[in-house]
Each structure stands twice: as structure tokens, then as C-alpha cells.
Amino acid sequence: MYKNVDDAYYDLCGKLLLAPHVGNTYELLNVKIQIADLTNPIVSIRDISIPYLFGELLWYFRGSNRLEFISKFSSFWNHLSDDGHTCNSAYGYIIFHKYGFDQLRKIIDLLRHDPTSRRAVINLNVPNEKVIETKDEPCTVSIQFILRDNKVHCTVYMRSNDIWFGFPYDVAFFTELQRIVALNLSAEMGTYTHMVGSLHLYDRDEAKVRSIVDLPIYKSIKVDMTKFHMSIPRLIEAIRKIDGDPKQILLEKLREFDIIKENDNGSKEV
């Protein structure tokens, strides 16, 4: 059990640097971590891209699979598209629209109906006849929510997770879903459990991860997610209409709407 996401991230980075080398990655198999304190689920011991993080969250919570928006923040998603226009492995699209109903709303209703249910599962990766040919295959298999003693616990299983570009941003989104479920059930946040078949570190990111292990730099980021959700239409409109760098525009709006507050705390011993 890790106290917080920073402790988990630091430990995983150190273990990956000592892990077996497979292809162009260092890889750990069948990794399981559990985090107790989700007060701030954003990794703060590295240079997390706040504009990308919130750009991705906007994309997810819009339920979109169109590349037009997310490609303003990273070209990464373009490489996962089969048609050059959409990415059907976008989590928000799968959760809110792909199957003709809102999976998140359904599991909230389920837990209201039966608080002891073990069926509150969001399915993201399903049988795919074109699994060999496609580039567009979700990394996450499922997200389960369990309500016990008025606490919502969340368990995520991923087939594959990249420690640099994936893990920090994935955990921020998944724990936000957990927070939404807890709020709707008037419950508290329980533990977050993250299980990965293949957790890996790409060779290209080795030096960056090693620098974190050698000397983590803490940058405390306070986030008001309630204000974020209330501001989603205004944030999207600002990015669409205003000329300039969308990352900078989003960062300015996040500060203007009092959604984020950043504080540099410098390096600390871990």
C-alpha cells in the first residue's frame, strides 16, 4: 500500500530501471499497486504537462473520439488511429457513447440500487476481430467500483501501461471517475488499485526517469475538479475560438477560472 501517487510513481520508476529489457523497453509483468490517499492524484515529482493533462480530460469528458481536438495537445494519438480522423480507444468515447449508453451513469445507478454489487464494471477492451491489424486497441481492460463502509474503492486492470506518457495521466482520469462515483453516492473515496499486465519504460525515456529517481522535483498542484467540470464548455470554446497556442490558452484559462494553483517546492529527499 502506498500513501500517495508520488510514492507509488517513485517506487515504480526505480524498479523499472532494474527490470528486464524487452525490445525497446524495460518491463515489469503483473504489477499491482494500491494507493490510500487520493487527495491529490496528480504526480508531482516530474514535469507533468498540465495543458496536456487537462486537454486529455476535456477530450475524455466530452466523450469524443475525434483527433481534431486532442491533436492540438499531442500528436501521440494520431499514431493510434486507423483512419487518421478518429481514435476509438479514447476512454471517454467508450465510456459515454460507444455502446449507446453512459457506462458511468449506469454503474452509479447500479450501486444506488444494490450497494453491495460486484457488477459495477466499466468495460473498455472487448473482443476485437481485427486485434492483429489495428493500431487502435485500448490499453485498459476494465474499471471496477466497489462500495463498502460508505467508501468507493476503484480497481483498474490494464493490459499495457507506459510509465512516462501513460501512468500519470491514466491515474488522474481513473481517480476522477472514482471521485464522481463517490460524490453521486454521497460516499467517501476509498483506495485506488492499479493492476498492469505489462508496465514498461521506453528506452527513449530512460534518462528522464533516472533523473526523477536521482533527484525528484516536487511541484505541488492544487486542482478544483468541481470548477473544471463546470467550466468544460467555456474551456473548449476558448481553445476553439482564440488564435494562438492551444496549450498556453488552456493553461491561462485553468488559472483564470481558479481550477489550478501551482507551487514549486524544489527538490526533496525521498
Side-chain angles (χ1 to χ4, degrees):
M1 175 80 75
Y2 294 96
K3 179 181 178 182
N4 54 47
V5 68
D6 277 333
D7 287 354
Y9 194 70
Y10 181 83
D11 190 50
L12 290 175
C13 284
K15 288 178 177 177
L16 277 166
L17 290 170
L18 301 174
H21 198 257
V22 180
N24 62 344
T25 70
Y26 295 90
E27 182 185 57
L28 292 171
L29 297 181
N30 301 317
V31 173
K32 174 186 174 182
I33 65 165
Q34 195 169 53
I35 300 172
D37 184 357
L38 299 174
T39 304
N40 183 5
I42 298 176
V43 173
S44 68
I45 58 173
R46 53 157 285 196
D47 58 337
I48 286 292
S49 171
I50 295 301
Y52 175 76
L53 171 63
F54 279 91
E56 186 177 80
L57 289 175
L58 283 173
W59 192 49
Y60 285 161
F61 282 111
R62 286 181 70 195
S64 175
N65 67 344
R66 304 290 300 176
L67 293 175
E68 181 182 4
F69 180 84
I70 194 62
S71 62
K72 296 177 186 293
F73 298 93
S74 174
S75 61
F76 167 80
W77 289 94
N78 296 330
H79 303 297
L80 304 182
S81 173
D82 288 334
D83 63 12
H85 302 287
T86 60
C87 189
N88 293 321
S89 56
Y91 295 144
Y93 168 70
I94 299 173
I95 292 170
F96 302 117
H97 294 305
K98 184 174 182 178
Y99 298 107
F101 71 100
D102 183 336
Q103 290 195 69
L104 184 63
R105 175 53 53 190
K106 183 61 70 174
I107 64 100
I108 292 170
D109 292 343
L110 170 61
L111 289 172
R112 281 204 185 102
H113 175 74
D114 179 6
T116 66
S117 177
R118 301 176 182 89
R119 298 183 181 182
V121 176
I122 290 176
N123 291 290
L124 295 170
N125 192 306
V126 296
N128 183 1
E129 186 180 4
K130 295 184 178 180
V131 67
I132 296 174
E133 301 89 351
T134 187
K135 296 180 289 183
D136 195 358
E137 184 75 2
C139 291
T140 304
V141 177
S142 63
I143 310 170
Q144 183 176 16
F145 301 91
I146 294 179
L147 179 61
R148 296 291 184 271
D149 299 322
N150 203 42
K151 291 184 178 180
V152 173
H153 303 278
C154 179
T155 300
V156 170
Y157 180 74
M158 303 189 72
R159 63 171 181 83
S160 173
N161 205 196
D162 163 28
I163 195 67
W164 186 259
F165 196 72
F167 179 90
Y169 303 98
D170 290 334
V171 170
F173 176 60
F174 297 146
T175 55
E176 180 57 17
L177 294 178
Q178 182 180 358
R179 189 184 77 90
I180 292 171
V181 174
L183 283 173
N184 276 272
L185 297 175
S186 299
E188 299 177 10
M189 291 276 277
T191 56
Y192 174 78
T193 302
H194 194 84
M195 295 190 287
V196 188
S198 167
L199 180 71
H200 47 270
L201 160 65
Y202 284 101
D203 291 343
R204 63 175 182 260
D205 301 319
E206 179 181 353
K208 292 179 285 191
V209 168
R210 194 171 297 279
S211 69
I212 292 170
V213 173
D214 291 343
L215 189 64
I217 303 296
Y218 284 73
K219 187 171 185 178
S220 177
I221 304 164
K222 293 184 178 180
V223 177
D224 188 328
M225 292 305 295
T226 300
K227 288 183 180 178
F228 168 72
H229 284 281
M230 292 173 59
S231 304
I232 285 176
R234 289 193 295 167
L235 291 169
I236 292 172
E237 195 65 14
I239 295 165
R240 181 184 294 123
K241 284 190 171 183
I242 300 175
D243 291 333
D245 181 357
K247 294 180 182 178
Q248 187 59 38
I249 292 168
L250 179 55
L251 188 58
E252 290 171 358
K253 291 299 178 182
L254 291 170
R255 290 168 176 158
E256 178 186 333
F257 299 158
D258 209 26
I259 295 169
I260 63 166
K261 292 181 181 179
E262 300 161 275
N263 180 38
D264 289 304
N265 295 326
S267 61
K268 292 185 179 180
E269 294 294 329
V270 175

